[in-house]
Amino acid sequence: MIKFTINSQSEIPKFQQLVDTVVNALAENKLHEGDQLPSVNVICQTYKLSRDTVFKAYGILKEQGVIESVPNKGYFVAKEGRKVFLFLDTFKAYKEVLYGEFVKNLNKDTIADVHFHHYNIELFKKLINDSRGRYSKYIIMPFDHEDVEEIVSTLPPEKTLIIDWNTNIKNIKNKLYQDFDTPVVNALQEADHLLRKYKRLIMVYPTFTYHPLITADCFERYCKENDYQHMRLTNEEELSVRAGDMYFSVSDRMLGHILEQCKERKLEPGIDVGILSYNETPMKKFIYKGISVISTDFKLMGQKAAAFASSDLEMNFCVPTKIFFRESL
């Protein structure tokens, strides 16, 4: 009988930990076609989980074609198919959108095993090494570290897809990425008629962010070329929202601080101050009558990644980035 590993301190949702345990057991040949899984009641009682959590995990596995349910008998491992290694940085809201589309668009015979490296190079190296030779496809979200290229280069190039960042890993030709430079400038130009309302444009780029620095650089270039008074705010302790300023934040944590100060100081977003955020999430259209966002299309990125995982397609695609206008600007 399979033993699930549940870490209550992990930021990975518990339903996803259940999914990962089953997928890992298949990848390690500990589960096979026809094997029966524990019932929902047994898992709930053994691991102190809610029924909704277990049903959600089993529902995802059924959607992926990993398991099937037999009335009055339970859940069983379905036929074995492709196993895909999906390696993301963190499980943020917009990554959940990517992951949701990825899972939804996988072929029924394709199993996704998702892991997170949290920008830790030792963890990144260990999980890549442990995955080698166990999967039909590898979908990797890298980060800015000098050892990343060497580590990823150990994977079979024709089976590996780099997503999100357009890195220069020499032997990996399959790329599915966003452009953090030119499309940002284009979006700012598109918003110029609204930006002109504000006395000063502030780039909120805190030291703790992993967002590519090139976005902050192109923002400053745009401001200089268009005669905007501007500044880059890197110290979160120095944030002091005031009327007449427009804040462009690449951090959702800082976006929360900006909105909090607006409420405290009775400043209305879109009227007294401007707010522009990076990366669309499902909730931003509802916060404060809507937060304006510059974002790549994470749904499309998930769909394209699924197409690579489920077939023998080659991939070299830049996912479009655009601006979504809402009341905050």
Side-chain angles (χ1 to χ4, degrees), residues 88-102 116 119 141-142 163-165 178 180 209-212 249-253 255 277-284 293-302 324:
L88 305 179
D89 47 16
T90 58
F91 204 78
K92 295 181 179 178
Y94 63 93
K95 300 292 170 58
E96 187 172 3
V97 173
L98 185 160
Y99 176 72
E101 286 297 309
F102 177 76
F116 302 90
Y119 309 100
M141 186 175 288
I163 63 171
D164 202 23
W165 290 41
Q178 56 177 310
F180 295 94
T209 186
Y210 287 96
H211 190 94
S249 178
V250 298
S251 162
D252 284 352
R253 185 202 301 182
L255 172 63
S277 178
Y278 209 102
N279 290 326
E280 176 73 313
T281 67
M283 292 303 299
K284 286 182 182 177
V293 176
I294 294 177
S295 180
T296 195
D297 188 340
F298 288 105
K299 284 189 175 182
L300 181 58
M301 186 178 288
F324 298 87

Side-chain angles (χ1 to χ4, degrees), residues 17-246:
Q17 294 184 48
L18 292 174
V19 171
D20 290 345
T21 300
V22 173
V23 173
N24 287 339
L26 281 166
E28 295 168 1
N29 293 316
K30 295 178 180 177
L31 277 178
H32 303 279
E33 182 177 347
D35 286 351
Q36 185 170 10
L37 296 176
S39 70
V40 173
N41 287 337
V42 167
I43 297 177
C44 290
Q45 294 169 7
T46 304
Y47 301 98
K48 311 301 181 188
L49 298 174
S50 71
R51 292 177 64 84
D52 287 345
T53 296
V54 182
F55 274 124
K56 185 170 185 178
Y58 274 4
I60 290 172
L61 290 167
K62 284 182 68 176
E63 287 178 8
Q64 293 181 349
V66 178
I67 66 174
E68 57 188 1
S69 59
V70 179
N72 301 318
K73 290 189 177 181
Y75 295 89
F76 297 83
V77 177
K79 65 178 182 179
E80 298 180 49
R82 289 175 178 245
K83 297 186 181 74
V84 178
F85 182 70
L86 178 63
F87 203 12
L88 305 179
D89 47 16
T90 58
F91 204 78
K92 295 181 179 178
Y94 63 93
K95 300 292 170 58
E96 187 172 3
V97 173
L98 185 160
Y99 176 72
E101 286 297 309
F102 177 76
V103 170
K104 186 169 70 175
N105 288 276
L106 282 177
N107 284 349
K108 292 299 183 182
D109 66 343
T110 303
I111 300 169
D113 185 2
V114 61
H115 293 273
F116 302 90
H117 56 68
H118 306 288
Y119 309 100
N120 182 313
I121 193 62
E122 293 303 321
L123 180 61
F124 185 86
K125 182 177 181 179
K126 180 182 185 304
L127 290 177
I128 290 287
N129 288 339
D130 291 347
S131 73
R132 198 179 301 115
R134 292 171 47 193
Y135 297 90
S136 57
K137 291 292 181 71
Y138 302 84
I139 300 176
I140 312 294
M141 186 175 288
F143 61 106
D144 187 15
H145 191 282
E146 60 184 5
D147 293 338
V148 163
E149 179 177 0
E150 181 181 355
I151 295 167
V152 174
S153 295
T154 63
L155 296 173
E158 72 283 357
K159 295 181 179 181
T160 304
L161 174 68
I162 298 299
I163 63 171
D164 202 23
W165 290 41
N166 185 16
T167 60
N168 296 314
I169 300 175
K170 295 180 178 59
N171 71 328
I172 304 297
K173 296 181 180 179
N174 296 300
K175 297 177 182 178
L176 176 62
Y177 58 94
Q178 56 177 310
D179 186 345
F180 295 94
D181 187 351
T182 303
V184 176
V185 173
N186 294 340
L188 293 171
Q189 290 173 341
E190 192 177 344
D192 190 75
H193 64 292
L194 297 174
L195 299 178
R196 291 291 172 188
K197 297 192 302 181
Y198 302 101
K199 298 176 183 177
R200 185 174 59 158
L201 308 187
I202 298 176
M203 181 77 197
V204 182
Y205 187 88
T207 54
F208 58 76
T209 186
Y210 287 96
H211 190 94
L213 183 60
I214 191 171
T215 297
D217 292 340
C218 75
F219 173 84
E220 292 186 3
R221 185 173 71 248
Y222 171 82
C223 290
K224 289 177 182 177
E225 291 175 353
N226 293 275
D227 297 321
Y228 281 105
Q229 183 181 351
H230 64 281
M231 67 169 289
R232 183 188 302 185
L233 179 68
T234 58
N235 185 350
E236 61 180 317
E237 302 298 328
E238 295 178 359
L239 175 67
S240 180
V241 177
R242 68 184 192 186
D245 286 345
M246 192 288 297

